[in-house]
Amino acid sequence: MPKIIYVDHTGEERAIEATNGETVMETAIKNSIPGIDADCGGACACATCHVYIDEGFMEKVGKPEDMEQSMLDFAENVQSNSRLSCQISVSDDLDGMRVTTPESQH
Ligand code: FES
């Protein structure tokens, strides 16, 4: 099972055993990770699941689709490594990935 490490804005880490095929957002919600509200339930319509991806995993995660990119265009504190966690499926390739939640979501 791949492990996803959620890091909050203070640097506190929570390592979670994730299930392949579920999204990084779903895994966060199931495990009550603070800073990921996912108001729209994963429909790519709220950006409350915004996270910063570990630079070392950017290539594996890939680029956002157009719909995700347009949501990110309106999100707060967007950086070059910003993604919506509801659009990232967990796989073994992402084992050990750290995702950080923006301070504005806490
Ligand atoms: Fe709403 Fe990801 S959960 S955009």
Side-chain angles (χ1 to χ4, degrees):
M1 270 174 136
K3 201 171 272 182
I4 304 292
I5 301 151
Y6 295 86
V7 187
D8 73 16
H9 66 294
T10 68
E12 189 175 338
E13 297 190 356
R14 293 171 177 83
I16 303 291
E17 300 272 353
T19 303
N20 283 340
E22 293 192 346
T23 67
V24 172
M25 174 280 274
E26 287 166 337
T27 305
I29 295 295
K30 268 193 186 170
N31 291 280
S32 306
I33 297 295
I36 297 183
D37 289 341
D39 291 339
C40 76
C44 201
C46 72
T48 60
C49 66
H50 177 198
V51 293
Y52 304 123
I53 304 292
D54 224 355
E55 292 292 347
F57 281 85
M58 286 297 285
E59 210 164 295
K60 286 179 181 158
V61 168
K63 296 241 181 287
E65 303 275 333
D66 289 351
M67 194 171 157
E68 179 183 350
Q69 188 56 58
S70 36
M71 280 311 299
L72 282 170
D73 289 343
F74 292 103
E76 285 180 58
N77 304 310
V78 171
Q79 302 176 2
S80 57
N81 60 340
S82 286
R83 289 294 308 267
L84 297 181
S85 58
C86 69
Q87 303 301 304
I88 301 169
S89 286
V90 171
S91 66
D92 288 339
D93 280 355
L94 302 187
D95 184 36
M97 179 172 75
R98 289 156 54 96
V99 297
T100 304
T101 45
E103 186 169 3
S104 54
Q105 281 166 217
H106 287 270

